[in-house]
Every structure is written in C-alpha cells, then in structure tokens.
Amino acid sequence: MAPKRLKTEQIKDLAARLDKVATNLWWTWDEEAQEVFYELSPRGWQNLFHNAVAVLHEVSDYELSVRLLNPEFAARVRHVVDGFDQYMTAKDTWGAKHAPKLLKNPVAYFTAEFGFHETLPIAAGGLGVLAGDHAKSASDLGIGFVGISLFYREGYFQQAIDHNNWQTEYYSLLNPANLPMEPVHGADGKPIRCKVRIGSADVAFTAWRVNVGRNPVYLLDTNLPENEPHHRDLTLRVYGGDTSTRIMQEILLGVGGVRLLRTLGVAPSVFHMNEGHAAFLVFELMREKLQAGKTLAEAEAATRQECIFTTHTPVEAGHDRFSADLMSYSAHCFSEQLKISQDQLMAYGRVRPKDRHEPFCMTVLALKLSRAANGVSELHGRVSRHMWHTLYSNVPVEQVPIGHITNGIHLLGWMKGPVRKFWRRKFSEEIAPGKSGSGGESTRFWKREPGRDWAQRLISPEFWHQIEDPAFVSDEELWSLRYTLRREMIEFCRRRLLLQEQRVTQRDFIIFDHLLNPDALTIGFARRFATYKRAPLIFQRIDDIIHLCRDQKRPVQFIFAGKAHPRDDDGKRFIQKIIHLSKYSDLKGHLVFVENYDIHVARQMVSGCDVWMNNPRRPLEASGTSGMKAGCHGCLNMSILDGWWREGYDGTNGFAIGEDSHPDSVEEQDRLDSKNLYDTLTKQVIPLFFDRDEHGIPHKWIKMIRRAMVTLVPQFTTDRMVKEYTENYYVPQGR
Ligand SMILES: *Cc1c(COP(=O)(O)O)cnc(C)c1O
C-alpha cells in the first residue's frame, strides 16, 4: 500500500506539529524523531550539535513542504508527531496510578545545572546530567514536575588542549532563538519580568521554558538591559567567577526560582533542593509565611515541611561556604526580611550556631530546613551521616536523618541508536518469527508497531530479564553488536583526534587507521578530572601497561576524556600527563585523549568501550553514573567498590577493584588500589576477554555481559530512582 500524497492543508499541519516536537526535548530520547531531523539536514544535524530547532531553521518552510510531498517521508513524520501526541496525552502513567493521591501539585526541583543534551551545554558534570535524567523520567512516569535552574548563555566551558598539552577553556555564546527553549510570557503577553534583591540592588530577571516531555523546566536569565553589567553576567557561565558571583547566583536560583513559580501561579507540593546551591529558597518560603502572619518559628516549621534535600558529595570543596562578610554584603536582605539579626541569619548555616568564626554553609542550611534528606548511594548515605553527625549530636550516628536513594540514568536517553534498533528487531521477531535479519540496513527506519509501545517495553525490567536466555539473543548476535559499537566509537575518536591535531599543529600527522585497533580490548575512562577520581592511576605501572598494550595476541587500548575545573591545575596536570603519554610514549596509537568531554562524547564512549574503568579514592565517589550508562550497551564495569558499584556488583556482572573497604591513609590507598587495578586487569579482565572459541567468540565474556544486563540495567535507572523519591520523600511520611 503506497502512502498517498498529502494535501496542502495537511502539509501545513504536519509542519506545524513537527515544529512543536522540535521545541520539546522529547526528541532527544526518541530515535525516530531524531532520524527525521537528521534526514532533513544531515550536515546541519552534525554541525549544530544534533539540534532539532536549528535544523528546522536551516530548512525553509518551502523546502519542508516540498520534502513532505514525498509520501514516504511524510508518513514517517506523521508517525513521529502522532507518537509525540500519544506521549503527551497518555493517561495510564505510573504517576496517574500512584502519585495523584500523594502529590496533588507538582514537585519543584531546584538545581544549579541541568544536563539534557549536547545542544544545551549548561551542565558542568554528573550533577547536571542526573538532574536532566530526573526530569526526563519524571515526565515518562507522569509525575507533576517543574524544574528551576539558570540559563547560562555561555554555558559550561569548551575544552581545547594547546601545544603544551595544557587544557585551555573557551566559551561560545548560546543563541536562545536556535535552541529548544521559549521565552516565558507574562499576563501582558510580554516576556516575564521578576525581581530579586541581591546585595543592595533589585536584580531583574526573565525566564525561558524548556519543555521536557510533559513538564516544564524554567531557566532564569538576568541578561536584561535594566541590570548592572555584573548582574547581567550572573547568568553568563556555570559556576563562573568567584564566591561573590557564586552567592549571587545562588540567591537568584533559590529566591528567584520561588518568585517565578509564584508569578506563574505554580504551588508546588514539595521543593526538592538538588545539592545545597538552591538552599536560599527556604528563606523566601519563610518570608512568605511571615508576611502571611506566621511567627518565625511557625514559618520555619512550615517551610521545613515543604522541603527535601539531596546531598551529592562527601568532598569538602563541594559544599559552598560563605564568610560572614560576604553574607552581610550580598545577603543582608534575608535578615531584614525575616526580621532577625545577622548573627541569627548566620546561625542557620552553622553547625555551631554561636561560633562566630564558622562560615555559612549551604548544606547546613538545607539540612536544617528540610523535612528529609538523602545521599545518592548506600555508602554515601552512611558517609553523610558521619559527616553531619555534629549537627545532630543528640542522636547516635545511625539515627542522623539522612537516608539514601541511589542515582540512576534515563535509559532511553542514553541507549545508542544501534542498540535500540538491535532490541527493536527482537520485538519484531517476536511478532513474526523467522524474519530475523531480513532487510538489514535498508530497513533503517522502523515503523512503530500499531498498538504496542515498544519503547515502554524496552525499559521494563521484564525485558532485560530475558537477556540471560540464549534462545532470545545469541552470543554471536551480541558479539557482533559489540563490534559495531566498538567500531563506531573508534571511528568517532579518529575523526575527533584528526581535528584536534590539525588545530594544534596545522597539519595532519595522525594517520587515520593507525590509531586504535578495532580488535583490541578497549578500556574507557571519562569523567570530570577532579583529582580524587585519579585518572592517571593505571599509569603508575607504565612499563607493564605498555607491555599489555603492545601484546600482539591480546592487545589492550585506552580511551580517556574529561574536563578539569578551570582553576584546578592538579586536574590539568593529570590531563597533560595522559596526553603526553598518548603522543610521546610507546603507548602511542594505543592510548588517546578525546577533547571536550560532553554528553555526546559520553554516549560514544559508554557504548563503544568493552570496559568502563573507574578508580576514585573511596568513599569520595558519592554515586557515579557513567558506569550505569555502559550496561545496556554491553560494556562491563571495572571499578573500585564505591558509590553505585558497591551495590551493583555481585561477582558475576563485571569486575571489582579491591575490597569493600579502604585503608585510612591516602598514600596507602593509592598504592593498594594501583596494585589491585593492575591485578584485576591482568588476572580477570584480559584472560576472560580473550578466551575465545574456534570462531573467536568469547562466550564467558558474553555471559558476563548478559549478567550485567539482567542485574544492572533495570535497577540503575532514574525511573526506579524517581519512583523512590516519590514514594519515600515527595510524599510526607506518616500521612
Ligand atoms: C554521566 C556523565 C557524567 C557523570 O559521570 P560520573 O561517572 O558520575 O563521573 C559527567 N559528565 C557527563 C558528560 C556525563 O554524561
């Protein structure tokens, strides 16, 4: 049945609906939507950071209408927009079943960063990516949610490595008109204007709306002509500037966020502070209650009932602390509004309220003014209870009221295209047995089977449980998938390295295919280059590692990526060391560093590598999430038993480095971990990967991949995580 050509009206309608899809981040987790945008402008898609809005701007209305005259393409577009409408109007969500009784109004989620997609680079790292994944899952589950953050018009920095192998930073200006976001309008039809008092100034801000599936995320923006230049630049860069910029950004986020919600008429059921950055919101909630006639004590108690707090790190520097001077300079309005002294205000952020030398800590404020708090893994919960015991010295440490919810990832958003297609083919085989493999690449675009939501099934635990069954998927199929993914990543790395090299040397001295070996055991490491993550740990035994990499029969190779904080010279030295080794040691060709780590690079690496290496100094990795992204692609974790891996590892589904304990001395720990890392690699990982049958298939390795898929993939998702937040935190306990 050939699809019929559309009438002009139908084409107009379709184009308008496609436009709507482009301004909803839903397309970032819908493969078919992405394929439509890709096809409209393949180079545009590639060069504009896979941005649907920019692609639609690239294609004229006339071109789009002509393209839609092609019935086959029009049918696919219709399929996408129908899918979108179905998603947006679905009634039978988890939230509809479980949450309405519990949550009448939306959850307001405040965070200093949101990492949704490479198109909108306003996250510095894992905290933001987690927030983005939280928002996506809240939408998928049908939970009322509204996100609050800032629109940093220069985002987080871009990394470029110079000829000394030193990280340099540059910023590019984001253009809201070309991004999946829209200005928020007030009742008068004009862009909304709100104000927040910072220091002695009233700083005006407006807001942008990012549609994350069914839910809005609002990004505050002070770049308005009526503001002083330094106030306009509060929303310039993620964590830009010094502590005085930081405190002003946090006042804007916390207080401004509440003001915006009030202006929009949103009355959240609960305020979720994702990390301490947003904690000033409690002062605004208290001010409102005082104004409504409550006493300070009543206002405080009522505010506490509305707030919950998630702490994300045991690293000291991760907890913002502001001096009394800075507080009285930038935040004196709080004491005025709450009619309290500056000392009383400081007390809210102090462990010892009367200690005049103690700075104001945002984490302390958040803990004091929330009804419940949590860490992001079991171990991190325990470590946090110890860390903040002094705040609750009247109870034993086990009773410090900080629980835990282990982080997760938004599975559909992270699953790479070929992997989704791979599983999708399985669904169609189920329907029509015996048709396996037919079509191959020519059926690149699949039709949604009518009446069955395969994407929903793909994220169900039941689906992943079948993977242990070789009748469902064979070792050969899984191994060939691994080859596809490894090759895609290697070719991605080669392209990126060529560009990196050309930029630095102005010539191409890398020979494309001399870099990386598609048959080698490929080990990936990519994350922020915070020093506690110890990126170069593996190279403490450099001669042994060179030996492993140059082994002809059982070759190993390494791919690294990551950004160091602009002011972290130690982190930059780690990068320099690794790049130096990649260029000037015998590791050349077996070790590469890919510049400018972001969500796109992350997606390539977690899917293409065979092993995801993580060797933080325990217990400083509160959870870690990149290793969770590896599982659905058949990439195995090799990690210290810290954060999530301590809960995920069961002896059959990946590799542990060392024991479920750590020595007190840092030096001893580094020495021990370096040894354990090397032992795990040489005694377990390499032998298993190269244990092949006569066709070269590593059956035992693949068995481990199956175990990882069964035990880890359905467990470490933000679907599970958001359900836990909803049931255990968003809903007041005991009601
Ligand atoms: C997932 C992710 C992170 C977090 O990774 P960790 O393992 O938690 O350090 C950081 N940055 C990007 C771009 C990511 O995609």
Side-chain angles (χ1 to χ4, degrees):
M1 238 188 1
K4 277 216 292 279
R5 241 178 68 176
L6 300 183
K7 300 200 186 72
T8 314
E9 277 315 304
Q10 291 172 309
I11 284 180
K12 269 203 178 137
D13 174 60
L14 212 48
R17 289 170 70 196
L18 190 61
D19 220 37
K20 233 177 150 151
V21 171
T23 55
N24 190 312
L25 289 179
W26 175 81
W27 60 258
T28 65
W29 68 96
D30 188 274
E31 195 68 21
E32 290 155 310
Q34 289 172 35
E35 283 167 350
V36 161
F37 292 116
Y38 164 83
E39 238 186 287
L40 278 171
S41 169
R43 292 304 287 177
W45 179 256
Q46 229 175 51
N47 294 345
L48 303 166
F49 299 103
H50 321 113
N51 177 346
V53 172
V55 162
L56 284 189
H57 287 172
E58 166 72 26
V59 176
S60 71
D61 290 351
Y62 179 67
E63 177 177 349
L64 181 59
S65 63
V66 174
R67 297 285 295 270
L68 290 172
L69 283 173
N70 172 346
E72 187 270 339
F73 185 66
R76 282 210 342 263
V77 171
R78 176 176 300 286
H79 185 66
V80 166
V81 298
D82 284 349
F84 176 64
D85 288 350
Q86 263 172 33
Y87 178 89
M88 294 297 282
T89 54
K91 297 267 181 310
D92 57 340
T93 61
W94 183 87
K97 277 199 210 79
H98 297 85
K101 297 183 290 257
L102 318 172
L103 278 180
K104 280 217 248 8
N105 292 338
V107 175
Y109 183 91
F110 283 59
T111 178
E113 38 173 315
F114 263 119
F116 296 115
H117 188 257
E118 55 269 26
T119 286
L120 194 55
I122 53 169
L127 179 71
V129 173
L130 179 83
D133 283 4
H134 188 128
K136 292 173 190 174
S137 278
S139 169
D140 288 351
L141 292 170
I143 289 172
F145 175 97
V146 36
I148 296 284
S149 192
L150 307 184
F151 174 59
Y152 306 98
R153 63 186 180 278
E154 289 190 347
Y156 196 54
F157 76 86
Q158 316 270 326
Q159 176 189 56
I161 306 297
D162 72 9
H163 56 279
N164 292 319
N165 303 326
W166 192 251
Q167 170 181 298
T168 62
E169 299 93 25
Y170 68 98
Y171 294 84
S172 27
L173 195 60
L174 299 172
N175 174 9
N178 235 4
L179 290 171
M181 52 195 255
E182 318 164 314
V184 178
H185 293 286
D188 57 0
K190 293 199 193 119
I192 205 162
R193 282 286 200 281
C194 302
K195 276 192 177 142
V196 57
R197 188 139 189 106
I198 300 177
S200 304
D202 279 324
V203 178
F205 65 90
T206 185
W208 302 90
R209 180 187 162 112
V210 180
N211 299 303
V212 186
R214 303 179 176 102
N215 296 320
V217 165
Y218 296 106
L219 304 178
L220 280 42
D221 185 354
T222 56
N223 186 26
L224 297 172
E226 59 264 46
N227 288 335
E228 299 271 344
H230 69 285
H231 289 141
R232 295 180 70 155
D233 286 352
L234 286 182
T235 50
L236 185 65
R237 296 173 177 177
V238 186
Y239 309 131
D242 52 13
T243 50
S244 92
T245 310
R246 182 67 81 92
I247 192 172
M248 293 194 284
Q249 286 184 327
E250 296 185 0
I251 296 171
L252 174 66
L253 175 66
V255 178
V258 176
R259 297 256 166 100
L260 177 75
L261 292 175
R262 299 308 187 209
T263 310
L264 296 173
V266 181
S269 290
V270 54
F271 291 83
H272 185 171
M273 297 177 258
N274 186 47
E275 199 42 288
H277 309 124
F280 285 139
L281 73 85
V282 302
F283 288 146
E284 176 64 4
L285 295 179
M286 283 167 66
R287 185 192 66 79
E288 291 178 340
K289 293 173 175 56
L290 279 186
Q291 207 168 35
K294 290 205 158 89
T295 66
L296 185 67
E298 288 166 353
E300 197 181 306
T303 296
R304 189 174 295 116
Q305 277 314 306
E306 293 179 316
C307 295
I308 71 149
F309 169 55
T310 303
T311 176
H312 282 269
T313 181
V315 177
E316 271 303 320
H319 299 267
D320 281 329
R321 288 188 167 83
F322 301 122
S323 69
D325 281 350
L326 187 57
M327 283 292 288
S328 72
Y329 183 77
S330 298
H332 56 82
C333 67
F334 294 138
S335 51
E336 288 151 24
Q337 290 166 351
L338 302 178
K339 303 189 176 58
I340 55 178
S341 69
Q342 189 65 21
D343 269 346
Q344 278 174 292
L345 183 74
M346 288 297 291
Y348 281 108
R350 283 179 176 150
V351 176
R352 293 165 308 276
K354 299 225 160 58
D355 180 353
R356 306 196 66 170
H357 298 290
E358 191 180 323
F360 187 97
C361 175
M362 296 297 277
T363 308
V364 173
L365 174 65
L367 286 170
K368 287 189 178 180
L369 267 297
S370 46
R371 70 164 187 246
N374 70 291
V376 290
S377 70
E378 189 190 352
L379 181 60
H380 178 234
R382 194 204 306 160
V383 169
S384 301
R385 286 190 288 280
H386 279 273
M387 197 167 166
W388 300 107
H389 189 199
T390 46
L391 261 179
Y392 311 89
S393 43
N394 52 341
V395 300
V397 67
E398 313 79 61
Q399 286 172 29
V400 169
I402 303 177
H404 80 272
I405 290 183
T406 305
N407 284 165
I409 57 155
H410 183 253
L411 190 53
L412 276 183
W414 280 104
M415 200 184 301
K416 212 174 174 226
V419 177
R420 290 199 202 193
K421 293 211 179 71
F422 180 84
W423 296 122
R424 185 129 195 226
R425 192 161 303 183
K426 287 282 156 201
F427 291 137
S428 59
E429 275 171 29
E430 270 177 61
I431 306 164
K435 268 175 55 185
S436 80
S438 67
E441 279 313 294
S442 63
T443 47
R444 228 188 109 199
F445 303 105
W446 299 74
K447 289 222 173 89
R448 244 177 254 264
E449 299 95 36
R452 47 191 314 167
D453 195 344
W454 72 277
Q456 269 311 307
R457 286 185 62 203
L458 195 51
I459 56 178
S460 71
E462 296 73 40
F463 172 76
W464 293 94
H465 288 150
Q466 346 170 43
I467 290 173
E468 215 152 25
D469 178 6
F472 179 68
V473 55
S474 70
D475 281 5
E476 288 72 14
E477 286 172 290
L478 281 171
W479 192 231
S480 115
L481 176 69
R482 288 298 317 144
Y483 256 88
T484 308
L485 294 170
R486 196 186 306 115
R487 171 160 291 282
E488 279 187 9
M489 175 194 55
I490 287 176
E491 296 190 349
F492 169 79
C493 291
R494 287 173 179 172
R495 264 197 323 274
R496 289 286 286 255
L497 277 132
L498 193 62
L499 293 174
Q500 283 170 219
E501 207 53 55
Q502 281 170 342
R503 203 196 61 238
V504 175
T505 62
Q506 317 288 317
R507 62 200 167 96
D508 332 340
F509 85 58
I510 289 180
I511 303 164
F512 185 78
D513 45 0
H514 280 201
L515 214 77
L516 302 173
N517 169 2
D519 290 313
L521 167 62
T522 306
I523 299 177
F525 181 105
R527 44 184 58 84
R528 285 182 305 115
F529 266 52
T531 44
Y532 77 83
K533 298 191 185 231
R534 299 186 297 190
L537 189 72
I538 184 103
F539 302 115
Q540 285 200 356
R541 304 182 57 155
I542 182 71
D543 294 334
D544 294 327
I545 295 299
I546 289 174
H547 195 74
L548 295 179
C549 287
R550 296 175 68 94
D551 188 318
Q552 298 285 329
K553 286 218 187 74
R554 308 196 305 177
V556 177
Q557 62 194 0
F558 293 90
I559 301 180
F560 278 74
K563 292 173 176 178
H565 187 278
R567 285 191 295 276
D568 179 8
D569 281 353
D570 289 332
K572 291 186 187 182
R573 268 187 280 279
F574 279 3
I575 293 176
Q576 188 177 40
K577 172 171 178 176
I578 290 169
I579 301 182
H580 189 86
L581 288 174
S582 77
K583 287 183 177 166
Y584 305 110
S585 79
D586 285 338
L587 289 176
K588 187 168 174 180
H590 310 282
L591 163 65
V592 298
F593 183 92
V594 179
E595 267 179 24
N596 209 18
Y597 182 53
D598 67 357
I599 288 175
H600 182 55
V601 175
R603 190 178 291 109
Q604 306 295 323
M605 289 183 65
V606 293
S607 57
C609 290
D610 298 292
V611 170
W612 196 248
M613 178 167 72
N614 193 16
N615 43 250
R617 201 172 273 143
R618 193 181 127 128
L620 298 183
E621 184 83 306
S623 166
T625 53
S626 58
M628 303 173 187
K629 303 165 192 167
C632 67
H633 302 101
C635 167
L636 294 172
N637 279 275
M638 171 179 72
S639 170
I640 300 271
L641 291 172
D642 197 7
W644 81 282
W645 188 233
R646 203 183 140 265
E647 291 155 51
Y649 175 69
D650 72 357
T652 68
N653 57 4
F655 306 94
I657 303 170
E659 309 278 318
D660 184 12
S661 63
H662 58 271
D664 290 332
S665 136
V666 166
E667 292 73 29
E668 175 60 11
Q669 193 178 355
D670 288 357
R671 197 193 57 73
L672 200 65
D673 288 344
S674 158
K675 174 181 181 303
N676 287 336
L677 172 54
Y678 184 76
D679 284 354
T680 303
L681 184 59
T682 51
K683 294 190 180 140
Q684 299 179 44
V685 181
I686 296 176
L688 198 69
F689 186 82
F690 289 104
D691 180 358
R692 307 291 172 92
D693 74 0
E694 69 273 25
H695 307 292
I697 310 278
H699 294 288
K700 290 183 188 139
W701 185 268
I702 294 167
K703 181 149 196 261
M704 198 175 258
I705 289 179
R706 292 179 195 273
R707 286 293 300 156
M709 288 179 171
V710 171
T711 58
L712 304 173
V713 176
Q715 181 61 21
F716 294 96
T717 65
T718 37
D719 273 16
R720 187 263 314 145
M721 182 189 86
V722 172
K723 286 177 187 172
E724 288 184 8
Y725 273 109
T726 304
E727 289 171 337
N728 303 333
Y729 282 81
Y730 293 158
V731 178
Q733 296 302 292
R735 277 198 202 165

